[in-house]
Amino acid sequence: MNGYFPSIYAPPVPTQYRMTLTVGAHSARHIRRIARTLLADWDLKDLTDPVELALTELIANVVRHAPDRHCRLLLLKQPAGVRAEVTDNYGQLLPTPAELHPESEGGRGLFLLDAMVDKWGVSPTPGGGKTVWFEITENASASARQL
């Protein structure tokens, strides 16, 4: 009589994930793994590649620019996709470079972010930091992969 009996009292799959952390060289790998698991739970596996890439860029910016490397991550399931937010205490809003030089070693992250997501932006936080966010929907992700 051994077998799996799903509980009728099992909670629904959560639609958001929050984490506060100090990021380092390997943090993006762990955050990608978390995002991959959540996207699978949310039946949004098709968004895995662009979400992982965009999160990697945002976490890399915290590692490079935020002196204390502290940030908060928020992943939200939306009706047709996902929204991610990374908040740090570094108040300087990073500008998008006007021109990308082929030999420069930095400055490509926000261009890449812009190409991979539907919408993104930067919002100052009341404590003097900022939140960088992006949204990706299933329809836009599928059309971007066909290019």
Side-chain angles (χ1 to χ4, degrees):
M1 188 82 186
N2 292 332
Y4 172 72
F5 298 97
S7 171
I8 60 170
Y9 301 109
V13 175
T15 58
Q16 64 177 313
Y17 176 84
R18 293 179 188 270
M19 178 170 57
T20 300
L21 69 157
T22 302
V23 293
H26 302 290
S27 298
R29 177 180 54 183
H30 300 297
I31 291 169
R32 285 192 303 268
R33 187 175 303 135
I34 291 165
R36 189 177 317 121
T37 301
L38 287 170
L39 291 168
D41 288 347
W42 294 340
D43 293 325
L44 295 172
K45 278 185 168 182
D46 290 345
L47 301 183
T48 300
D49 288 341
V51 168
E52 286 185 2
L53 182 58
L55 282 172
T56 298
E57 292 303 324
L58 297 187
I59 296 302
N61 281 343
V62 174
V63 171
R64 284 187 203 108
H65 301 291
D68 63 4
R69 293 186 173 187
H70 288 23
C71 69
R72 290 180 307 280
L73 170 69
L74 172 63
L75 296 170
L76 293 168
K77 181 180 188 270
Q78 296 186 314
V82 66
R83 177 182 173 100
E85 298 179 2
V86 176
T87 302
D88 63 49
N89 296 322
Y90 186 57
Q92 183 176 350
L93 303 180
L94 301 175
T96 303
E99 187 176 321
L100 188 61
H101 298 287
E103 295 184 27
S104 74
E105 293 187 24
R108 289 179 171 77
L110 294 179
F111 281 116
L112 193 55
L113 181 68
D114 193 50
M116 294 301 297
V117 304
D118 297 322
K119 298 189 281 189
W120 71 276
V122 181
S123 307
T125 60
K130 68 178 171 307
T131 297
V132 184
W133 59 270
F134 66 83
E135 295 179 357
I136 299 177
T137 60
E138 289 179 292
N139 295 337
S141 176
S143 63
R145 286 192 305 273
Q146 293 174 356
L147 295 177

